[in-house]
């Protein structure tokens, strides 16, 4: 299936289905219908059916899907059953948390090295991942054939570090820095906009407060 | 300005402008034009002008905006210069990182209490914030008049904890759990979908790999 055929909203919903299916699987449920999923998750049943069809999973009419099969389909579809090596730059609060984040394992991303500009952090291990000086970034990416970069540094250094990453062979960047990176078109960039999310949150709060006043 | 008049994409871009303006302010620049901002940030200049106008900031024709004025306008517009008390439930890796995240301070959110189900964490302070047993959540929200809740717990417990929060007086929830919360309509919910972002990232990586194969 070509990239354009998978709508982004479907991709965004799949982890929700996945977590829900994991839970009912743990509870011992073996078969689930799209109707039950739709009701439990508050998503329209035609949408659930479409999303599951996109993963290639086929249920039995009037019976439903095997929960284990659905979990496997989603894992394969999202590339969560293969593994790629990643490095993380910026071992501050957010970076350190991500080094211990179980979501990466499940998503097939293994962080093998972290980098930081502060000498106090270099040489330590955070959640089992060694921290190297940021000057070694280019060399390490080349030597370890790392293809994924995770950016958890301040906005003013993010573009420079992203360019070093790409120059050394990184093909995909998960960016937590609050800037738009300017990189070659064939580089995959996925932005997690914590500040933007906070901006929306704060603004909605202030609007609500004004409505009450 | 009513809520509906501020487009969400504008809200998402404002933190980018803010970080950019902070940087040039630190570098000693006092005046900036929308044209320069547009070029430096890679956003069309008509868009920059519209976004800045939405914050109520008025530059001088042929001169530009005072950087300090723009920073103040964005802070006020995003409600970042008032302060609200928040609590966080789930002091694991992600939760602990958020307790040390400087973004909250700037966004006018002060986390005064954290809660966790694990006895080992209770009674400690993480980044200066005391951790209480989750059983005390309802009582503490009422006693401290907390209005914002931050959810960093697994999906299967998020709905229950969110209901406890709302029952005790929370009006706005920043949700990191990978589920859609079902709550009264007047509760503000802003979801940060780390898993969904990872899903998109992994899928794009696998599509790219297939294109090359």
């Amino acid at each position: 299936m070509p990239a354009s055929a998978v709508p982004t909203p479907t991709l965004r919903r799949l982890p929700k289905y996945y977590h829900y299916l994991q839970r009912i699987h743990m509870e011992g449920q073996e078969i689930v219908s799209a109707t039950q999923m739709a009701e439990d998750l508050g998503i329209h049943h035609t949408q659930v059916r479409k999303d599951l069809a996109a993963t290639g999973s086929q249920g039995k009419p009037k019976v439903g899907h095997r929960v284990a099969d659905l979990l496997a389909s989603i894992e394969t579809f999202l590339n969560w059953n293969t593994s790629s090596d990643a490095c993380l730059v910026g071992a501050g609060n957010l970076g350190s948390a991500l080094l211990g984040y179980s979501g990466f394992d499940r998503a097939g991303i293994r962080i093998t090295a972290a980098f930081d500009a502060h000498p106090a952090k270099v040489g330590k291990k955070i959640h089992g991942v060694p921290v190297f000086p940021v000057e070694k970034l280019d060399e390490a990416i080349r030597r370890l054939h790392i293809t994924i970069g995770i950016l958890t540094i301040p906005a003013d250094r993010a573009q420079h570090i992203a360019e070093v990453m790409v120059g050394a062979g990184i093909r995909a960047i998960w960016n937590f820095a609050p800037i738009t990176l300017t990189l070659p078109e064939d580089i995959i960039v996925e932005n997690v906009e914590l500040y933007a999310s906070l901006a929306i949150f704060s603004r909605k709060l202030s609007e609500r407060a004004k409505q009450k006043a």
Side-chain angles (χ1 to χ4, degrees), chain A residues 6-197:
Chain A
V6 188
T8 298
T10 293
L11 291 179
R12 288 204 179 274
R13 278 188 296 269
L14 288 176
K16 269 179 206 157
Y17 299 150
Y18 189 78
H19 288 280
Y20 166 81
L21 292 164
Q22 274 191 315
R23 196 182 76 224
I24 64 172
H25 191 56
M26 293 265 288
E27 290 167 0
Q29 188 175 333
E30 291 184 10
I31 304 287
V32 68
S33 66
T35 312
Q36 186 198 340
M37 288 180 65
E39 276 173 22
D40 290 348
L41 290 164
I43 300 171
H44 198 277
H45 66 91
T46 54
Q47 190 63 67
V48 173
R49 273 177 239 279
K50 266 192 205 169
D51 291 342
L52 297 183
T55 69
S57 182
Q58 295 189 326
K60 284 187 186 167
K62 314 232 170 175
V63 179
H65 294 261
R66 284 197 59 230
V67 175
D69 290 351
L70 271 184
L71 282 167
S73 296
I74 294 174
E75 280 174 9
T76 305
F77 186 75
L78 291 177
N79 197 31
W80 285 7
N81 51 355
T82 60
S83 187
S84 309
D85 282 353
C87 65
L88 178 144
V89 180
N93 285 322
L94 182 62
S96 297
L98 290 178
L99 292 175
Y101 184 57
S102 61
F104 287 117
D105 281 353
R106 282 182 224 153
I109 294 172
R110 189 175 50 226
I111 305 178
T112 53
F115 299 85
D116 202 280
H118 292 88
K121 287 188 181 142
V122 168
K124 294 192 175 155
K125 281 192 176 189
I126 299 176
H127 296 293
V129 179
V131 183
F132 301 104
V134 73
E135 294 75 23
K136 299 276 183 193
L137 181 62
D138 181 277
E139 181 197 325
I141 291 169
R142 291 175 196 275
R143 186 164 44 85
L144 302 170
H145 303 291
I146 294 172
T147 54
I148 297 174
I150 301 165
L151 267 184
T152 46
I153 54 176
D156 58 348
R157 295 178 51 235
Q159 177 66 32
H160 170 66
I161 295 291
E163 287 170 11
V164 173
M165 283 179 163
V166 169
I170 291 281
R171 311 313 295 155
I173 294 178
W174 212 37
N175 176 39
F176 285 79
I179 68 157
T180 304
L181 300 171
T182 307
L183 296 171
E185 276 192 14
D186 63 332
I187 304 298
I188 297 165
V189 178
E190 171 69 14
N191 298 299
V192 181
E193 299 182 316
L194 281 186
Y195 270 102
S197 176

